[in-house]
Amino acid sequence: MQSLHHPTIIPLPSTPHPHTHRTRHHFCSHFPSTLPHLGRQRRPPPAPAAVVSPSSSWEKGPIEAVLFDIDGTLCDSDPLHFYAFRQMLQQVGFNNGVPINEEFFIENISGRHNEDLCGILLPNWDLPKARKFLQDKETYFCRLAEEQLEAIEGLDKVRKWIEERGIKRAAVTNAPRPNAELILSMLELTNFFEAVIIGNECERAKPFPDPYLKALQALQVSPQHAFVFEDSVSGVKAGVGAGMEVIGIGRRNPDELLKEAGARFVIRDFNDQNLWTQLLV
């Protein structure tokens, strides 16, 4: 497994002790004034969705839409989330001050919604304090991302393939909307996606299928004519639960876990030959 440790050390924000009360703020709200305006140019409306025939190994039907998770799928952000969680949990004495390891992060944190993490990580805190801690963690992540975020290899290639065929597309994530919008802006994908679906804006977040079902409804596409790129177990389960084929991105989470969750196959990045064997038929 590739290490999640990130070598660059960035100072922690002033993280609240569980008994400290501070004014609530909107995390990432300071970034729009400092980030370059990436992907802001208006593009012409996409052509009507083309019917793209997949390889015979695909069972669902012609491709009319592609849905993407964001964290760990469009960009290699898991090391930044891991580092932020490790530092901040240690600061408040989680696990008697012993830093979390990669296995703990993968099994208990990766791909989960912050509301779920309140109970998983901070079950003895009252809910407002736990939510505030996770908001501050997102602020810290945004600071790391601003300096160090990188796109998954081959993203431009798959983006071009989608655009040339007029295929519909949506981003579907459990991340808070400010985080999602920041990442899409940094990757110059703000205008690429026709819909951005946020887990906490649905009745249930991933691993439930609700966010993907909402994306299909927004794009007016049936699950038989769409597929998903996902990097986490919870995300794969959500995509499969919505009735779609899911391609796993196996950079951080073990391939076998993604396959057990229902991924059709697993690739390392968007340059993976196995992906293009399936798509270019």
Side-chain angles (χ1 to χ4, degrees):
M1 180 189 306
Q2 186 175 350
S3 175
L4 288 167
H5 290 277
H6 204 282
T8 304
I9 305 300
I10 294 180
L12 284 162
S14 178
T15 308
H17 186 275
H19 301 296
T20 301
H21 296 273
R22 287 170 42 185
T23 302
R24 182 178 297 273
H25 60 278
H26 295 289
F27 47 84
C28 296
S29 60
H30 59 290
F31 282 108
S33 62
T34 60
L35 283 172
H37 295 286
L38 301 176
R40 299 291 185 183
Q41 297 83 3
R42 284 291 175 189
R43 299 179 183 175
V51 176
V52 181
S53 296
S55 140
S56 59
S57 65
W58 289 61
E59 298 175 351
K60 295 293 185 177
I63 299 169
E64 297 178 6
V66 181
L67 283 61
F68 293 80
D69 175 49
I70 295 180
D71 279 303
T73 299
L74 297 174
C75 56
D76 196 10
S77 53
D78 268 2
L80 307 183
H81 284 291
F82 170 68
Y83 182 81
F85 272 113
R86 186 184 66 183
Q87 297 295 99
M88 292 186 65
L89 287 170
Q90 185 178 18
Q91 188 181 70
V92 297
F94 181 83
N95 194 31
N96 295 318
V98 178
I100 64 171
N101 58 25
E102 296 172 22
E103 289 72 24
F104 180 89
F105 176 82
I106 290 170
E107 292 176 8
N108 297 281
I109 297 176
S110 179
R112 293 183 184 270
H113 187 262
N114 278 354
E115 286 295 302
D116 296 331
L117 292 175
C118 289
I120 293 170
L121 300 176
L122 307 166
N124 297 323
W125 290 26
D126 65 59
L127 190 56
K129 290 179 182 177
R131 286 173 172 165
K132 182 61 168 62
F133 175 87
L134 288 165
Q135 285 182 337
D136 284 343
K137 176 265 162 184
E138 300 299 351
T139 301
Y140 188 25
F141 165 79
C142 288
R143 292 174 57 191
L144 294 167
E146 186 183 23
E147 298 294 331
Q148 304 173 35
L149 192 73
E150 295 182 357
I152 296 293
E153 293 89 339
L155 179 59
D156 284 345
K157 182 178 179 180
V158 77
R159 172 180 177 171
K160 182 180 179 182
W161 182 87
I162 290 169
E163 289 179 327
E164 286 178 344
R165 289 156 178 80
I167 296 173
K168 297 179 180 180
R169 54 271 192 182
V172 183
T173 180
N174 271 354
R177 183 168 288 278
N179 286 35
E181 292 177 350
L182 171 67
I183 290 173
L184 294 180
S185 176
M186 293 180 69
L187 296 176
E188 302 186 59
L189 294 173
T190 300
N191 294 326
F192 173 70
F193 289 108
E194 299 165 59
V196 178
I197 306 300
I198 306 298
N200 67 3
E201 296 174 6
C202 302
E203 184 174 346
R204 302 175 299 179
K206 303 176 191 177
F208 294 99
D210 303 39
Y212 279 115
L213 292 172
K214 185 175 180 179
L216 290 170
Q217 183 178 30
L219 297 179
Q220 297 184 324
V221 174
S222 71
Q224 291 76 23
H225 300 294
F227 72 91
V228 177
F229 286 111
E230 264 287 359
D231 77 303
S232 70
V233 169
S234 67
V236 172
K237 289 180 177 179
V240 172
M244 288 179 285
E245 299 278 13
V246 179
I247 300 174
I249 307 291
R251 295 179 68 87
R252 304 296 177 182
N253 292 301
D255 291 14
E256 59 271 19
L257 292 183
L258 299 177
K259 290 177 182 177
E260 288 173 6
R264 179 76 176 179
F265 58 93
V266 178
I267 59 176
R268 174 165 176 76
D269 56 45
F270 296 112
N271 286 326
D272 195 301
Q273 187 56 47
N274 192 23
L275 171 64
W276 296 101
T277 298
Q278 301 287 330
L279 295 182
L280 298 180
V281 177

